[in-house]
């Protein structure tokens, strides 16, 4: 607990706007979705080019928050007569400064982990391996950024005996700030790879920057086989520094003399002992060795290290949102199980389903110190504050503390099998079900029971990639330019309300759908953002009025029909419409000759309000048509000015699509439309390099066959073998959206990291691929579309466009949304 007056002093700010200086703070927050214990929360309003935390102060105040750190430019203090405000130049710097002060109060060992890859896994494995010996605190999920690190360090409390924090950087100068917050006593560097390569001159420069984290550490753990590591660590000038190296290089403290891989484990022999690692892939071996050597440095012997290694399980690095039965969703988060990660998962569940029913399925906490009654009371409070209606607790420890919990509906089971029997009898309808459990409880059985489909072909959609792409396009916009997110056809085939909730949180001004039923569906899924219906049909105007949807009007006939409908709704005083102007696409829209009459007709009906004027560019991505695009923009400017002059209220205008945002920034007007670019696709090569691929369509091998030379594959014997081959069958066909034009070698998939061609004709439900020479197994993952096999490149090879491939993906292919 810190008094707000203390925090003001720590940050060096005069207490000018403190209505209650004695107010106590125990939580810090920068995301309104991650609010916990509002009365004790200090909110940092962080402003970037892409988002502004000050916009959420009203919402947070309504939820009970009374303590805010804001930018000096914020002036609305007087609106809140009982709230504390600390104005400061840089709110991120203020959060870091407060966390650094908090860190100074603790003398416990702190392990700081950095590197290009493996930071989160090493942190999680270290936490597992040391759980029997230390009450530890660690970074939740991959909280390793300039904001994530202070949020993590803030969680240290007097009960902790050890801290494990990870630190990630994307450019020079950042690590120095993180070092002042973490102040690791023990440093661990995992490796140096190509992540964020464009921000560093070379890998050596990147290594130098990452080692800044260990400027005041008393020990550094590292693999001596890492290029340049020995020379760069020698630059650290610390008289008591211990160098704990491992590897095959001469001079390593833990010198490896042999590595033997078996079926499911790897034996690593050192000069003074050996370790058995329960993995065979190179990344897991490296990560496990980092963790095991850390244990050896802390005084554990090889026998204990091997015992702890034997318990390790693969770390699930992501939270999945899966469609469940009866219009419900599953949030599958077994990535880590501690109170901090539980809090984050519950907050995400709340953002996905703010007012709907929420179920929490939770197991005992096996990878942390045994919890006491106070811990279970905090868990109960977390569940209640995040609106959980139904609680399924599985495990003896939770059952032993059942009296602590006060959720409206709660059930306690000693094991997963008992829970499965009960779940089969329960009704779930429009419910979000958060599942978080230790691996030994095998909660995948619960996920399998509740999920809507079991088809092994799935479409993964990455939330972080989509938000990255949104922010990329936002960086091209003038301040104040609004954004319409095109979410028609289920976000071009990628997602439903789960994805749109995430997009909306990032201050989207409008959503656009093609038809009324799409908009109605989103309203039923609690989407509140204004929705434009671009393909508004007259017969659905009544439904649009009922569900507060805003139609595109593109001819006088539809305008007449809408006015007739509005006459039957005397309760409607103002109804927004969106006028489509034809500037050369020659599909829908009013011509220039229609404008005077259109203005007259709209002005004659006081219920009608023009929210936006817009048009559609025919070829914004094509340099050969730039003169025509500029002509369209000029026509739009001329036509829209007539409306601007005729009406005494502001009207938003938009003509730019994703390509236009980049190529014609002078035509942003007041708003732009962001479609396929949001999902990571662009016909412009230099733009495509800046976007993140959000889509992975994958399946598995269900059958392997050895087929002789001269035999044929599939319908119509379309492929004849010229040699003996091994082929695999995968459960995806044209009914799933795999285009027939990818048949017979025109399309390729990725198996075990290699591109492999499709053989014969694609069938309705299955496809045959060549796996000759691969050690392929039934159950192996097969990638159809991904960052390594991009949709736009596949489309180009078969002479189509990404839109067609994405929107063709069948509804029977399960969408799983990924939150890293």
């Amino acid at each position: 607990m810190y008094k707000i007056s203390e925090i003001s002093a720590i940050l060096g700010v005069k207490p000018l706007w403190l209505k209650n200086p004695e107010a106590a703070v125990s939580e810090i927050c920068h995301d309104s979705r991650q609010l916990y214990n509002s009365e004790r929360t200090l909110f940092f309003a962080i402003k970037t080019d892409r988002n502004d935390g000050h916009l959420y102060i009203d919402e947070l105040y309504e939820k009970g928050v009374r303590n805010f750190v804001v930018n000096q430019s914020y002036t609305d203090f007087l609106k809140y007569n009982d709230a504390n405000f600390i104005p400061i130049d840089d709110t991120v710097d203020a959060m870091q400064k407060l966390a650094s002060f908090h860190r100074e109060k603790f003398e416990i060992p702190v392990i700081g982990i950095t590197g290009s890859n493996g930071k989160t896994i090493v942190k999680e494995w270290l936490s597992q391996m040391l759980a029997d010996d230390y009450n530890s605190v660690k970074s939740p999920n991959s909280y390793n950024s300039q904001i994530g690190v202070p949020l993590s360090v803030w969680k240290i409390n007097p009960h902790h005996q050890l801290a494990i924090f990870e630190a990630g950087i994307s450019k020079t100068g950042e690590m120095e700030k993180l070092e002042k917050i973490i102040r690791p006593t023990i440093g661990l560097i995992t490796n140096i790879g190509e992540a964020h390569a464009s921000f560093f001159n070379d890998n050596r420069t990147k290594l130098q920057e990452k080692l800044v984290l260990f400027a005041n550490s008393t020990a550094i753990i590292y693999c001596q086989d890492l290029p340049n590591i020995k020379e760069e660590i020698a630059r650290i000038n610390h008289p008591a520094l211990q160098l704990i190296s491992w590897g095959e290089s001469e001079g390593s403290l833990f010198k490896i003399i042999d590595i033997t891989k078996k079926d499911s484990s790897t034996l690593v022999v050192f000069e003074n002992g050996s370790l058995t690692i329960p993995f065979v892939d190179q990344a897991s071996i490296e990560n496990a060795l980092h963790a095991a050597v850390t244990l050896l440095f802390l005084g554990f012997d090889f026998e204990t290290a091997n015992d702890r290694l034997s318990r390790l399980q693969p770390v699930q690095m992501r939270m999945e949102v899966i469609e469940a039965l009866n219009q419900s969703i599953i949030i599958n988060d077994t990535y880590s199980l501690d109170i901090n990660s539980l809090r984050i998962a519950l907050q995400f569940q709340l953002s996905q389903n703010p007012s709907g029913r929420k179920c929490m399925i939770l197991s005992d906490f096996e990878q942390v110190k045994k919890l006491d009654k106070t811990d279970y009371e905090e868990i109960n409070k977390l569940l209640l504050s995040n609106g959980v209606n139904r609680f399924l607790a599985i495990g003896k420890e939770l059952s032993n503390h059942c009296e602590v919990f006060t959720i409206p509906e709660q059930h306690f089971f000693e094991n997963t099998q008992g829970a499965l029997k009960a779940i089969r009898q329960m009704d779930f309808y429009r419910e979000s079900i958060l599942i978080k459990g230790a691996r030994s409880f095998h909660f995948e059985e619960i996920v399998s029971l509740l999920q809507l489909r079991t088809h092994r072909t799935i479409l993964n959609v990455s939330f972080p990639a989509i938000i990255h792409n949104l922010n990329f396009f936002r960086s091209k916009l003038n301040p104040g330019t609004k954004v319409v997110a095109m979410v028609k056809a289920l976000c071009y085939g990628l997602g439903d309300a789960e994805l749109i909730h995430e997009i909306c949180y990032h201050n989207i001004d409008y959503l656009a759908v093609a038809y009324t039923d799409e908009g109605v569906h989103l309203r039923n899924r609690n989407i509140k953002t204004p929705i434009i219906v671009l393909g508004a049909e007259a017969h659905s105007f009544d439904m649009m009025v009922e569900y507060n949807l805003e139609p595109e009007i593109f001819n006088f006939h539809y305008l007449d029909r809408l006015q007739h409908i509005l006459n039957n709704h005397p309760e409607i005083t103002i109804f927004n419409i969106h006028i489509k102007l034809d500037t050369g696409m020659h599909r829908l829209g009013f011509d220039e000759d229609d404008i005077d009459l259109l203005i007259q007709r709209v002005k004659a009906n006081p219920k009608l309000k023009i929210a936006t004027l817009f048009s559609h560019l025919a070829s914004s991505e094509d340099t050969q048509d730039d003169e025509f695009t500029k002509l369209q923009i000029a026509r739009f400017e001329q036509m829209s000015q007539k409306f601007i002059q005729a009406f005494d209220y502001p009207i938003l205008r938009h003509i730019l699509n994703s390509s236009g945002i980049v190529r014609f920034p002078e035509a942003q007007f007041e708003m732009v439309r962001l479609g396929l670019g949001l999902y990571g696709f662009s016909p412009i090569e230099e733009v495509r390099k800046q976007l993140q691929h959000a889509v992975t369509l994958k399946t598995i091998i269900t059958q392997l066959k050895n087929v002789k030379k001269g035999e044929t594959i599939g319908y119509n014997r379309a492929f004849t073998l010229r040699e003996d081959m091994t082929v695999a069958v995968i459960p995806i066909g044209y009914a799933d959206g795999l285009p027939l034009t990818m048949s017979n070698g025109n399309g390729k998939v990725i198996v075990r990291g290699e591109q492999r061609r499709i053989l014969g004709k694609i069938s309705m439900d299955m496809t045959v691929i060549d796996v000759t020479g691969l050690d392929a197994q039934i159950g192996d993952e097969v990638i159809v579309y991904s960052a390594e096999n991009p949709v736009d490149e596949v489309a180009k090879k078969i002479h189509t466009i990404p839109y067609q491939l994405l929107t063709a993906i069948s509804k029977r292919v399960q969408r799983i949304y990924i939150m890293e």
Side-chain angles (χ1 to χ4, degrees), residues 702-716:
T702 56
Q703 175 77 32
L704 288 166
K705 286 180 177 290
N706 294 313
V707 185
K708 296 294 185 181
K709 176 182 177 180
E711 296 289 340
T712 58
I713 300 288
Y715 285 116
N716 303 117

Side-chain angles (χ1 to χ4, degrees), residues 425-484:
Q425 306 302 317
M426 292 181 182
D427 292 323
F428 295 89
Y429 178 68
R430 290 190 177 179
E431 195 160 346
S432 64
I433 307 161
L434 174 58
I435 300 177
K436 202 161 174 58
R439 289 189 176 275
S440 64
F441 284 85
H442 301 290
F443 274 11
E444 64 272 12
E445 296 179 48
I446 296 177
V447 174
S448 179
L449 177 64
L450 291 173
Q451 70 184 56
L452 183 62
R453 300 178 180 93
T454 56
H455 188 14
R456 297 302 300 273
T457 297
I458 61 174
L459 182 70
N460 280 346
V461 181
S462 168
F463 284 175
I466 288 172
I467 301 310
H468 166 88
N469 299 334
L470 170 62
N471 289 334
F472 167 79
F473 284 102
R474 272 214 170 114
S475 71
K476 305 296 181 184
L477 300 180
N478 299 323
T481 302
K482 298 181 183 298
V483 176
V484 182

Side-chain angles (χ1 to χ4, degrees), residues 33 319-321 348 351-352 460-469 494-503 506 678 692 694 816-820:
R33 295 176 299 179
M319 185 187 300
E320 297 179 337
V321 182
F348 178 74
S351 73
Q352 279 290 311
N460 280 346
V461 181
S462 168
F463 284 175
I466 288 172
I467 301 310
H468 166 88
N469 299 334
L494 300 190
D496 202 347
E498 294 78 26
L499 173 55
I500 296 170
H501 270 301
E502 185 68 15
I503 294 171
H506 292 269
L678 184 63
Q692 290 185 4
I816 296 181
Y817 309 103
I818 307 301
M819 175 62 79
E820 302 292 345

Side-chain angles (χ1 to χ4, degrees), residues 356-426:
R357 282 186 56 81
K358 300 172 193 65
C359 173
M360 172 84 240
I361 302 178
L362 183 70
S363 82
D364 281 347
F365 289 63
E366 288 188 343
Q367 298 168 0
V368 297
K369 279 282 191 178
K370 190 172 181 179
L371 304 184
D372 59 22
K373 183 179 179 181
T374 303
D375 294 315
Y376 288 107
E377 287 172 345
E378 182 178 355
I379 292 170
N380 181 62
K381 187 174 182 181
L382 274 172
L383 299 175
L384 290 171
S385 64
N386 284 281
V388 170
N389 312 97
R390 188 189 331 225
F391 179 41
L392 279 65
I394 304 172
K396 292 181 179 180
E397 289 299 318
L398 281 164
S399 297
N400 289 340
H401 291 84
C402 60
E403 75 284 351
V404 169
F405 293 94
T406 58
I407 313 304
E409 178 187 340
Q410 52 191 37
H411 308 269
F412 294 86
F413 310 93
E414 289 205 354
N415 55 54
T416 304
Q417 291 308 310
L420 284 166
K421 290 179 182 177
I423 290 170
R424 288 188 177 95
Q425 306 302 317
M426 292 181 182

Side-chain angles (χ1 to χ4, degrees), residues 147 448 689:
I147 293 173
S448 179
K689 292 177 181 178

